PDB file of all heavy atoms in Angstrom:
ATOM      1  N   ILE A 189      13.342  -1.103   7.816  1.00  0.00           N
ATOM      2  CA  ILE A 189      12.992  -1.348   9.217  1.00  0.00           C
ATOM      3  C   ILE A 189      12.231  -2.665   9.346  1.00  0.00           C
ATOM      4  O   ILE A 189      12.519  -3.486  10.221  1.00  0.00           O
ATOM      5  CB  ILE A 189      12.165  -0.173   9.778  1.00  0.00           C
ATOM      6  CG1 ILE A 189      13.054   1.078   9.930  1.00  0.00           C
ATOM      7  CG2 ILE A 189      11.517  -0.546  11.112  1.00  0.00           C
ATOM      8  CD1 ILE A 189      12.273   2.370  10.145  1.00  0.00           C
ATOM      9  N   ALA A 190      11.278  -2.890   8.446  1.00  0.00           N
ATOM     10  CA  ALA A 190      10.499  -4.131   8.460  1.00  0.00           C
ATOM     11  C   ALA A 190      11.393  -5.347   8.227  1.00  0.00           C
ATOM     12  O   ALA A 190      11.253  -6.364   8.909  1.00  0.00           O
ATOM     13  CB  ALA A 190       9.394  -4.075   7.414  1.00  0.00           C
ATOM     14  N   LYS A 191      12.312  -5.227   7.288  1.00  0.00           N
ATOM     15  CA  LYS A 191      13.233  -6.335   7.017  1.00  0.00           C
ATOM     16  C   LYS A 191      14.124  -6.616   8.230  1.00  0.00           C
ATOM     17  O   LYS A 191      14.366  -7.768   8.571  1.00  0.00           O
ATOM     18  CB  LYS A 191      14.098  -6.017   5.801  1.00  0.00           C
ATOM     19  CG  LYS A 191      13.354  -6.073   4.486  1.00  0.00           C
ATOM     20  CD  LYS A 191      14.250  -5.676   3.333  1.00  0.00           C
ATOM     21  CE  LYS A 191      13.526  -5.721   2.015  1.00  0.00           C
ATOM     22  NZ  LYS A 191      14.400  -5.254   0.909  1.00  0.00           N
ATOM     23  N   ALA A 192      14.594  -5.575   8.885  1.00  0.00           N
ATOM     24  CA  ALA A 192      15.452  -5.743  10.061  1.00  0.00           C
ATOM     25  C   ALA A 192      14.703  -6.414  11.202  1.00  0.00           C
ATOM     26  O   ALA A 192      15.319  -7.080  12.037  1.00  0.00           O
ATOM     27  CB  ALA A 192      15.989  -4.376  10.514  1.00  0.00           C
ATOM     28  N   GLN A 193      13.381  -6.267  11.209  1.00  0.00           N
ATOM     29  CA  GLN A 193      12.559  -6.926  12.225  1.00  0.00           C
ATOM     30  C   GLN A 193      12.018  -8.275  11.750  1.00  0.00           C
ATOM     31  O   GLN A 193      11.144  -8.852  12.379  1.00  0.00           O
ATOM     32  CB  GLN A 193      11.414  -5.993  12.642  1.00  0.00           C
ATOM     33  CG  GLN A 193      11.912  -4.746  13.351  1.00  0.00           C
ATOM     34  CD  GLN A 193      10.778  -3.916  13.916  1.00  0.00           C
ATOM     35  OE1 GLN A 193       9.608  -4.225  13.802  1.00  0.00           O
ATOM     36  NE2 GLN A 193      11.160  -2.821  14.554  1.00  0.00           N
ATOM     37  N   ALA A 194      12.540  -8.751  10.618  1.00  0.00           N
ATOM     38  CA  ALA A 194      12.183 -10.054  10.054  1.00  0.00           C
ATOM     39  C   ALA A 194      10.697 -10.190   9.760  1.00  0.00           C
ATOM     40  O   ALA A 194      10.125 -11.272   9.892  1.00  0.00           O
ATOM     41  CB  ALA A 194      12.662 -11.193  10.961  1.00  0.00           C
ATOM     42  N   MET A 195      10.072  -9.092   9.353  1.00  0.00           N
ATOM     43  CA  MET A 195       8.680  -9.165   8.910  1.00  0.00           C
ATOM     44  C   MET A 195       8.644  -9.808   7.537  1.00  0.00           C
ATOM     45  O   MET A 195       9.475  -9.499   6.672  1.00  0.00           O
ATOM     46  CB  MET A 195       8.065  -7.758   8.834  1.00  0.00           C
ATOM     47  CG  MET A 195       7.899  -7.077  10.167  1.00  0.00           C
ATOM     48  SD  MET A 195       7.114  -5.458   9.950  1.00  0.00           S
ATOM     49  CE  MET A 195       7.142  -4.862  11.646  1.00  0.00           C
ATOM     50  N   GLY A 196       7.694 -10.697   7.322  1.00  0.00           N
ATOM     51  CA  GLY A 196       7.589 -11.390   6.047  1.00  0.00           C
ATOM     52  C   GLY A 196       6.977 -10.529   4.953  1.00  0.00           C
ATOM     53  O   GLY A 196       7.191 -10.764   3.774  1.00  0.00           O
ATOM     54  N   SER A 197       6.211  -9.539   5.366  1.00  0.00           N
ATOM     55  CA  SER A 197       5.578  -8.643   4.408  1.00  0.00           C
ATOM     56  C   SER A 197       5.189  -7.352   5.128  1.00  0.00           C
ATOM     57  O   SER A 197       5.184  -7.298   6.347  1.00  0.00           O
ATOM     58  CB  SER A 197       4.329  -9.284   3.782  1.00  0.00           C
ATOM     59  OG  SER A 197       3.340  -9.486   4.773  1.00  0.00           O
ATOM     60  N   VAL A 198       4.890  -6.339   4.323  1.00  0.00           N
ATOM     61  CA  VAL A 198       4.330  -5.096   4.839  1.00  0.00           C
ATOM     62  C   VAL A 198       3.119  -4.776   3.988  1.00  0.00           C
ATOM     63  O   VAL A 198       2.972  -5.278   2.862  1.00  0.00           O
ATOM     64  CB  VAL A 198       5.341  -3.920   4.811  1.00  0.00           C
ATOM     65  CG1 VAL A 198       6.459  -4.142   5.826  1.00  0.00           C
ATOM     66  CG2 VAL A 198       5.894  -3.698   3.412  1.00  0.00           C
ATOM     67  N   TYR A 199       2.243  -3.951   4.517  1.00  0.00           N
ATOM     68  CA  TYR A 199       1.069  -3.554   3.744  1.00  0.00           C
ATOM     69  C   TYR A 199       0.771  -2.094   4.035  1.00  0.00           C
ATOM     70  O   TYR A 199       1.315  -1.487   4.956  1.00  0.00           O
ATOM     71  CB  TYR A 199      -0.124  -4.454   4.061  1.00  0.00           C
ATOM     72  CG  TYR A 199      -0.758  -4.246   5.413  1.00  0.00           C
ATOM     73  CD1 TYR A 199      -1.910  -3.485   5.549  1.00  0.00           C
ATOM     74  CD2 TYR A 199      -0.207  -4.794   6.552  1.00  0.00           C
ATOM     75  CE1 TYR A 199      -2.513  -3.287   6.783  1.00  0.00           C
ATOM     76  CE2 TYR A 199      -0.795  -4.610   7.795  1.00  0.00           C
ATOM     77  CZ  TYR A 199      -1.946  -3.847   7.903  1.00  0.00           C
ATOM     78  OH  TYR A 199      -2.519  -3.655   9.138  1.00  0.00           O
ATOM     79  N   LEU A 200      -0.105  -1.546   3.207  1.00  0.00           N
ATOM     80  CA  LEU A 200      -0.528  -0.156   3.389  1.00  0.00           C
ATOM     81  C   LEU A 200      -1.872   0.049   2.727  1.00  0.00           C
ATOM     82  O   LEU A 200      -2.320  -0.783   1.939  1.00  0.00           O
ATOM     83  CB  LEU A 200       0.523   0.800   2.825  1.00  0.00           C
ATOM     84  CG  LEU A 200       1.052   0.563   1.401  1.00  0.00           C
ATOM     85  CD1 LEU A 200       0.104   1.097   0.334  1.00  0.00           C
ATOM     86  CD2 LEU A 200       2.416   1.189   1.240  1.00  0.00           C
ATOM     87  N   HIS A 201      -2.501   1.138   3.092  1.00  0.00           N
ATOM     88  CA  HIS A 201      -3.730   1.578   2.458  1.00  0.00           C
ATOM     89  C   HIS A 201      -3.359   2.779   1.620  1.00  0.00           C
ATOM     90  O   HIS A 201      -3.191   3.883   2.144  1.00  0.00           O
ATOM     91  CB  HIS A 201      -4.796   1.934   3.478  1.00  0.00           C
ATOM     92  CG  HIS A 201      -5.288   0.765   4.256  1.00  0.00           C
ATOM     93  ND1 HIS A 201      -6.102   0.905   5.364  1.00  0.00           N
ATOM     94  CD2 HIS A 201      -5.121  -0.562   4.094  1.00  0.00           C
ATOM     95  CE1 HIS A 201      -6.389  -0.296   5.841  1.00  0.00           C
ATOM     96  NE2 HIS A 201      -5.790  -1.195   5.096  1.00  0.00           N
ATOM     97  N   ALA A 202      -3.179   2.560   0.332  1.00  0.00           N
ATOM     98  CA  ALA A 202      -2.726   3.627  -0.572  1.00  0.00           C
ATOM     99  C   ALA A 202      -3.905   4.468  -1.049  1.00  0.00           C
ATOM    100  O   ALA A 202      -4.952   3.916  -1.436  1.00  0.00           O
ATOM    101  CB  ALA A 202      -2.024   3.033  -1.779  1.00  0.00           C
ATOM    102  N   GLN A 203      -3.734   5.768  -1.005  1.00  0.00           N
ATOM    103  CA  GLN A 203      -4.712   6.618  -1.672  1.00  0.00           C
ATOM    104  C   GLN A 203      -4.608   6.296  -3.172  1.00  0.00           C
ATOM    105  O   GLN A 203      -3.508   6.080  -3.682  1.00  0.00           O
ATOM    106  CB  GLN A 203      -4.429   8.089  -1.410  1.00  0.00           C
ATOM    107  CG  GLN A 203      -4.643   8.461   0.033  1.00  0.00           C
ATOM    108  CD  GLN A 203      -4.429   9.938   0.314  1.00  0.00           C
ATOM    109  OE1 GLN A 203      -4.269  10.745  -0.597  1.00  0.00           O
ATOM    110  NE2 GLN A 203      -4.432  10.299   1.594  1.00  0.00           N
ATOM    111  N   VAL A 204      -5.742   6.225  -3.869  1.00  0.00           N
ATOM    112  CA  VAL A 204      -5.712   5.734  -5.249  1.00  0.00           C
ATOM    113  C   VAL A 204      -4.788   6.543  -6.145  1.00  0.00           C
ATOM    114  O   VAL A 204      -4.187   5.991  -7.062  1.00  0.00           O
ATOM    115  CB  VAL A 204      -7.124   5.621  -5.850  1.00  0.00           C
ATOM    116  CG1 VAL A 204      -7.928   4.526  -5.170  1.00  0.00           C
ATOM    117  CG2 VAL A 204      -7.866   6.918  -5.824  1.00  0.00           C
ATOM    118  N   GLN A 205      -4.641   7.846  -5.887  1.00  0.00           N
ATOM    119  CA  GLN A 205      -3.738   8.626  -6.728  1.00  0.00           C
ATOM    120  C   GLN A 205      -2.266   8.244  -6.505  1.00  0.00           C
ATOM    121  O   GLN A 205      -1.415   8.571  -7.324  1.00  0.00           O
ATOM    122  CB  GLN A 205      -3.936  10.134  -6.529  1.00  0.00           C
ATOM    123  CG  GLN A 205      -3.389  10.687  -5.247  1.00  0.00           C
ATOM    124  CD  GLN A 205      -4.405  10.705  -4.108  1.00  0.00           C
ATOM    125  OE1 GLN A 205      -5.448  10.068  -4.190  1.00  0.00           O
ATOM    126  NE2 GLN A 205      -4.094  11.421  -3.037  1.00  0.00           N
ATOM    127  N   ALA A 206      -1.972   7.511  -5.430  1.00  0.00           N
ATOM    128  CA  ALA A 206      -0.606   7.076  -5.160  1.00  0.00           C
ATOM    129  C   ALA A 206      -0.386   5.591  -5.505  1.00  0.00           C
ATOM    130  O   ALA A 206       0.707   5.077  -5.320  1.00  0.00           O
ATOM    131  CB  ALA A 206      -0.264   7.318  -3.687  1.00  0.00           C
ATOM    132  N   GLU A 207      -1.395   4.954  -6.025  1.00  0.00           N
ATOM    133  CA  GLU A 207      -1.306   3.517  -6.314  1.00  0.00           C
ATOM    134  C   GLU A 207      -0.143   3.204  -7.261  1.00  0.00           C
ATOM    135  O   GLU A 207       0.607   2.251  -7.036  1.00  0.00           O
ATOM    136  CB  GLU A 207      -2.629   3.025  -6.913  1.00  0.00           C
ATOM    137  CG  GLU A 207      -2.712   1.539  -7.105  1.00  0.00           C
ATOM    138  CD  GLU A 207      -4.081   1.082  -7.603  1.00  0.00           C
ATOM    139  OE1 GLU A 207      -5.087   1.814  -7.453  1.00  0.00           O
ATOM    140  OE2 GLU A 207      -4.134  -0.030  -8.153  1.00  0.00           O
ATOM    141  N   ALA A 208       0.041   3.994  -8.298  1.00  0.00           N
ATOM    142  CA  ALA A 208       1.128   3.755  -9.266  1.00  0.00           C
ATOM    143  C   ALA A 208       2.504   3.881  -8.595  1.00  0.00           C
ATOM    144  O   ALA A 208       3.422   3.121  -8.883  1.00  0.00           O
ATOM    145  CB  ALA A 208       1.011   4.714 -10.437  1.00  0.00           C
ATOM    146  N   PHE A 209       2.647   4.848  -7.677  1.00  0.00           N
ATOM    147  CA  PHE A 209       3.890   5.026  -6.941  1.00  0.00           C
ATOM    148  C   PHE A 209       4.246   3.749  -6.191  1.00  0.00           C
ATOM    149  O   PHE A 209       5.382   3.256  -6.266  1.00  0.00           O
ATOM    150  CB  PHE A 209       3.746   6.215  -5.968  1.00  0.00           C
ATOM    151  CG  PHE A 209       4.827   6.321  -4.933  1.00  0.00           C
ATOM    152  CD1 PHE A 209       6.072   6.850  -5.257  1.00  0.00           C
ATOM    153  CD2 PHE A 209       4.607   5.914  -3.632  1.00  0.00           C
ATOM    154  CE1 PHE A 209       7.071   6.953  -4.308  1.00  0.00           C
ATOM    155  CE2 PHE A 209       5.594   6.020  -2.659  1.00  0.00           C
ATOM    156  CZ  PHE A 209       6.828   6.523  -3.011  1.00  0.00           C
ATOM    157  N   TYR A 210       3.285   3.182  -5.478  1.00  0.00           N
ATOM    158  CA  TYR A 210       3.534   1.979  -4.691  1.00  0.00           C
ATOM    159  C   TYR A 210       3.733   0.756  -5.594  1.00  0.00           C
ATOM    160  O   TYR A 210       4.540  -0.120  -5.272  1.00  0.00           O
ATOM    161  CB  TYR A 210       2.423   1.746  -3.677  1.00  0.00           C
ATOM    162  CG  TYR A 210       2.421   2.786  -2.599  1.00  0.00           C
ATOM    163  CD1 TYR A 210       1.385   3.706  -2.496  1.00  0.00           C
ATOM    164  CD2 TYR A 210       3.463   2.867  -1.671  1.00  0.00           C
ATOM    165  CE1 TYR A 210       1.387   4.698  -1.491  1.00  0.00           C
ATOM    166  CE2 TYR A 210       3.465   3.839  -0.669  1.00  0.00           C
ATOM    167  CZ  TYR A 210       2.417   4.744  -0.594  1.00  0.00           C
ATOM    168  OH  TYR A 210       2.430   5.700   0.392  1.00  0.00           O
ATOM    169  N   THR A 211       3.024   0.694  -6.707  1.00  0.00           N
ATOM    170  CA  THR A 211       3.204  -0.413  -7.649  1.00  0.00           C
ATOM    171  C   THR A 211       4.650  -0.421  -8.166  1.00  0.00           C
ATOM    172  O   THR A 211       5.272  -1.482  -8.248  1.00  0.00           O
ATOM    173  CB  THR A 211       2.208  -0.294  -8.818  1.00  0.00           C
ATOM    174  OG1 THR A 211       0.881  -0.366  -8.286  1.00  0.00           O
ATOM    175  CG2 THR A 211       2.416  -1.394  -9.843  1.00  0.00           C
ATOM    176  N   LYS A 212       5.195   0.733  -8.474  1.00  0.00           N
ATOM    177  CA  LYS A 212       6.590   0.822  -8.934  1.00  0.00           C
ATOM    178  C   LYS A 212       7.575   0.347  -7.877  1.00  0.00           C
ATOM    179  O   LYS A 212       8.672  -0.093  -8.189  1.00  0.00           O
ATOM    180  CB  LYS A 212       6.949   2.268  -9.319  1.00  0.00           C
ATOM    181  CG  LYS A 212       6.318   2.736 -10.586  1.00  0.00           C
ATOM    182  CD  LYS A 212       6.674   4.175 -10.867  1.00  0.00           C
ATOM    183  CE  LYS A 212       5.873   4.715 -12.047  1.00  0.00           C
ATOM    184  NZ  LYS A 212       6.062   6.164 -12.220  1.00  0.00           N
ATOM    185  N   LYS A 213       7.163   0.406  -6.632  1.00  0.00           N
ATOM    186  CA  LYS A 213       8.034  -0.040  -5.525  1.00  0.00           C
ATOM    187  C   LYS A 213       7.809  -1.518  -5.186  1.00  0.00           C
ATOM    188  O   LYS A 213       8.368  -2.024  -4.218  1.00  0.00           O
ATOM    189  CB  LYS A 213       7.780   0.819  -4.277  1.00  0.00           C
ATOM    190  CG  LYS A 213       8.080   2.279  -4.491  1.00  0.00           C
ATOM    191  CD  LYS A 213       9.535   2.496  -4.832  1.00  0.00           C
ATOM    192  CE  LYS A 213       9.837   3.934  -5.140  1.00  0.00           C
ATOM    193  NZ  LYS A 213      11.190   4.113  -5.660  1.00  0.00           N
ATOM    194  N   GLY A 214       6.979  -2.219  -5.978  1.00  0.00           N
ATOM    195  CA  GLY A 214       6.785  -3.649  -5.796  1.00  0.00           C
ATOM    196  C   GLY A 214       5.545  -4.053  -5.021  1.00  0.00           C
ATOM    197  O   GLY A 214       5.301  -5.253  -4.827  1.00  0.00           O
ATOM    198  N   PHE A 215       4.764  -3.093  -4.580  1.00  0.00           N
ATOM    199  CA  PHE A 215       3.530  -3.419  -3.851  1.00  0.00           C
ATOM    200  C   PHE A 215       2.490  -3.945  -4.834  1.00  0.00           C
ATOM    201  O   PHE A 215       2.413  -3.499  -5.982  1.00  0.00           O
ATOM    202  CB  PHE A 215       2.984  -2.195  -3.142  1.00  0.00           C
ATOM    203  CG  PHE A 215       3.716  -1.832  -1.871  1.00  0.00           C
ATOM    204  CD1 PHE A 215       4.915  -1.133  -1.924  1.00  0.00           C
ATOM    205  CD2 PHE A 215       3.202  -2.184  -0.633  1.00  0.00           C
ATOM    206  CE1 PHE A 215       5.595  -0.806  -0.762  1.00  0.00           C
ATOM    207  CE2 PHE A 215       3.881  -1.864   0.531  1.00  0.00           C
ATOM    208  CZ  PHE A 215       5.085  -1.167   0.461  1.00  0.00           C
ATOM    209  N   ILE A 216       1.682  -4.882  -4.353  1.00  0.00           N
ATOM    210  CA  ILE A 216       0.634  -5.490  -5.169  1.00  0.00           C
ATOM    211  C   ILE A 216      -0.718  -5.167  -4.563  1.00  0.00           C
ATOM    212  O   ILE A 216      -0.935  -5.347  -3.344  1.00  0.00           O
ATOM    213  CB  ILE A 216       0.820  -7.020  -5.263  1.00  0.00           C
ATOM    214  CG1 ILE A 216       2.159  -7.314  -5.967  1.00  0.00           C
ATOM    215  CG2 ILE A 216      -0.346  -7.674  -5.987  1.00  0.00           C
ATOM    216  CD1 ILE A 216       2.565  -8.758  -5.921  1.00  0.00           C
ATOM    217  N   LYS A 217      -1.608  -4.723  -5.419  1.00  0.00           N
ATOM    218  CA  LYS A 217      -2.988  -4.384  -4.998  1.00  0.00           C
ATOM    219  C   LYS A 217      -3.701  -5.667  -4.581  1.00  0.00           C
ATOM    220  O   LYS A 217      -3.636  -6.689  -5.272  1.00  0.00           O
ATOM    221  CB  LYS A 217      -3.691  -3.728  -6.179  1.00  0.00           C
ATOM    222  CG  LYS A 217      -5.147  -3.429  -5.955  1.00  0.00           C
ATOM    223  CD  LYS A 217      -5.730  -2.792  -7.223  1.00  0.00           C
ATOM    224  CE  LYS A 217      -7.230  -2.765  -7.139  1.00  0.00           C
ATOM    225  NZ  LYS A 217      -7.824  -2.185  -8.348  1.00  0.00           N
ATOM    226  N   THR A 218      -4.363  -5.606  -3.433  1.00  0.00           N
ATOM    227  CA  THR A 218      -5.153  -6.752  -2.965  1.00  0.00           C
ATOM    228  C   THR A 218      -6.544  -6.249  -2.599  1.00  0.00           C
ATOM    229  O   THR A 218      -6.728  -5.583  -1.598  1.00  0.00           O
ATOM    230  CB  THR A 218      -4.506  -7.422  -1.725  1.00  0.00           C
ATOM    231  OG1 THR A 218      -4.421  -6.462  -0.681  1.00  0.00           O
ATOM    232  CG2 THR A 218      -3.120  -7.940  -2.036  1.00  0.00           C
ATOM    233  N   GLY A 219      -7.494  -6.532  -3.434  1.00  0.00           N
ATOM    234  CA  GLY A 219      -8.864  -6.126  -3.153  1.00  0.00           C
ATOM    235  C   GLY A 219      -9.288  -4.895  -3.906  1.00  0.00           C
ATOM    236  O   GLY A 219      -8.566  -4.347  -4.737  1.00  0.00           O
ATOM    237  N   ASP A 220     -10.492  -4.475  -3.606  1.00  0.00           N
ATOM    238  CA  ASP A 220     -11.120  -3.363  -4.294  1.00  0.00           C
ATOM    239  C   ASP A 220     -10.852  -2.049  -3.560  1.00  0.00           C
ATOM    240  O   ASP A 220     -10.441  -2.036  -2.406  1.00  0.00           O
ATOM    241  CB  ASP A 220     -12.629  -3.579  -4.378  1.00  0.00           C
ATOM    242  CG  ASP A 220     -12.997  -4.809  -5.197  1.00  0.00           C
ATOM    243  OD1 ASP A 220     -12.310  -5.065  -6.213  1.00  0.00           O
ATOM    244  OD2 ASP A 220     -13.952  -5.508  -4.819  1.00  0.00           O
ATOM    245  N   HIS A 221     -11.153  -0.961  -4.250  1.00  0.00           N
ATOM    246  CA  HIS A 221     -11.046   0.351  -3.616  1.00  0.00           C
ATOM    247  C   HIS A 221     -12.052   0.454  -2.481  1.00  0.00           C
ATOM    248  O   HIS A 221     -13.128  -0.150  -2.526  1.00  0.00           O
ATOM    249  CB  HIS A 221     -11.325   1.445  -4.655  1.00  0.00           C
ATOM    250  CG  HIS A 221     -10.249   1.557  -5.687  1.00  0.00           C
ATOM    251  ND1 HIS A 221     -10.445   2.089  -6.923  1.00  0.00           N
ATOM    252  CD2 HIS A 221      -8.929   1.207  -5.654  1.00  0.00           C
ATOM    253  CE1 HIS A 221      -9.329   2.058  -7.613  1.00  0.00           C
ATOM    254  NE2 HIS A 221      -8.402   1.516  -6.877  1.00  0.00           N
ATOM    255  N   PHE A 222     -11.704   1.224  -1.467  1.00  0.00           N
ATOM    256  CA  PHE A 222     -12.604   1.471  -0.350  1.00  0.00           C
ATOM    257  C   PHE A 222     -12.390   2.907   0.129  1.00  0.00           C
ATOM    258  O   PHE A 222     -11.402   3.550  -0.211  1.00  0.00           O
ATOM    259  CB  PHE A 222     -12.345   0.466   0.790  1.00  0.00           C
ATOM    260  CG  PHE A 222     -10.950   0.492   1.324  1.00  0.00           C
ATOM    261  CD1 PHE A 222     -10.615   1.308   2.402  1.00  0.00           C
ATOM    262  CD2 PHE A 222      -9.952  -0.290   0.751  1.00  0.00           C
ATOM    263  CE1 PHE A 222      -9.322   1.340   2.897  1.00  0.00           C
ATOM    264  CE2 PHE A 222      -8.654  -0.257   1.249  1.00  0.00           C
ATOM    265  CZ  PHE A 222      -8.341   0.555   2.309  1.00  0.00           C
ATOM    266  N   MET A 223     -13.337   3.370   0.915  1.00  0.00           N
ATOM    267  CA  MET A 223     -13.250   4.732   1.432  1.00  0.00           C
ATOM    268  C   MET A 223     -12.668   4.714   2.830  1.00  0.00           C
ATOM    269  O   MET A 223     -13.052   3.903   3.674  1.00  0.00           O
ATOM    270  CB  MET A 223     -14.636   5.380   1.460  1.00  0.00           C
ATOM    271  CG  MET A 223     -15.269   5.552   0.079  1.00  0.00           C
ATOM    272  SD  MET A 223     -14.293   6.573  -1.044  1.00  0.00           S
ATOM    273  CE  MET A 223     -14.598   8.191  -0.334  1.00  0.00           C
ATOM    274  N   GLU A 224     -11.725   5.617   3.070  1.00  0.00           N
ATOM    275  CA  GLU A 224     -11.142   5.816   4.385  1.00  0.00           C
ATOM    276  C   GLU A 224     -10.924   7.318   4.530  1.00  0.00           C
ATOM    277  O   GLU A 224     -10.261   7.935   3.675  1.00  0.00           O
ATOM    278  CB  GLU A 224      -9.807   5.051   4.462  1.00  0.00           C
ATOM    279  CG  GLU A 224      -9.194   4.980   5.832  1.00  0.00           C
ATOM    280  CD  GLU A 224      -8.022   4.026   5.859  1.00  0.00           C
ATOM    281  OE1 GLU A 224      -6.912   4.436   5.510  1.00  0.00           O
ATOM    282  OE2 GLU A 224      -8.229   2.840   6.217  1.00  0.00           O
ATOM    283  N   ALA A 225     -11.506   7.909   5.548  1.00  0.00           N
ATOM    284  CA  ALA A 225     -11.444   9.364   5.759  1.00  0.00           C
ATOM    285  C   ALA A 225     -11.960  10.138   4.522  1.00  0.00           C
ATOM    286  O   ALA A 225     -11.410  11.161   4.134  1.00  0.00           O
ATOM    287  CB  ALA A 225     -10.020   9.808   6.116  1.00  0.00           C
ATOM    288  N   ASP A 226     -12.999   9.592   3.900  1.00  0.00           N
ATOM    289  CA  ASP A 226     -13.606  10.170   2.704  1.00  0.00           C
ATOM    290  C   ASP A 226     -12.659  10.267   1.518  1.00  0.00           C
ATOM    291  O   ASP A 226     -12.826  11.108   0.625  1.00  0.00           O
ATOM    292  CB  ASP A 226     -14.215  11.543   2.994  1.00  0.00           C
ATOM    293  CG  ASP A 226     -15.452  11.438   3.886  1.00  0.00           C
ATOM    294  OD1 ASP A 226     -16.175  10.435   3.778  1.00  0.00           O
ATOM    295  OD2 ASP A 226     -15.673  12.362   4.686  1.00  0.00           O
TER     296      ASP A 226
END
């Protein structure tokens, strides 16, 4: 969907236990861990 809308990039806030899942999909970690909804 993002590609079809010509977005240059997408981002997300991954829960740390899902970080490896997103890394395998090509996402790159940017920054330190933070708390969101505890």
Side-chain angles (χ1 to χ4, degrees):
I189 290 166
K191 288 177 180 176
Q193 294 187 0
M195 292 182 183
S197 65
V198 291
Y199 72 100
L200 50 81
H201 293 170
Q203 293 183 9
V204 292
Q205 74 269 14
E207 187 176 340
F209 167 78
Y210 292 112
T211 298
K212 287 178 189 172
K213 299 298 177 188
F215 283 80
I216 297 170
K217 175 181 167 181
T218 60
D220 296 323
H221 291 156
F222 59 92
M223 297 300 287
E224 190 171 84
D226 290 327

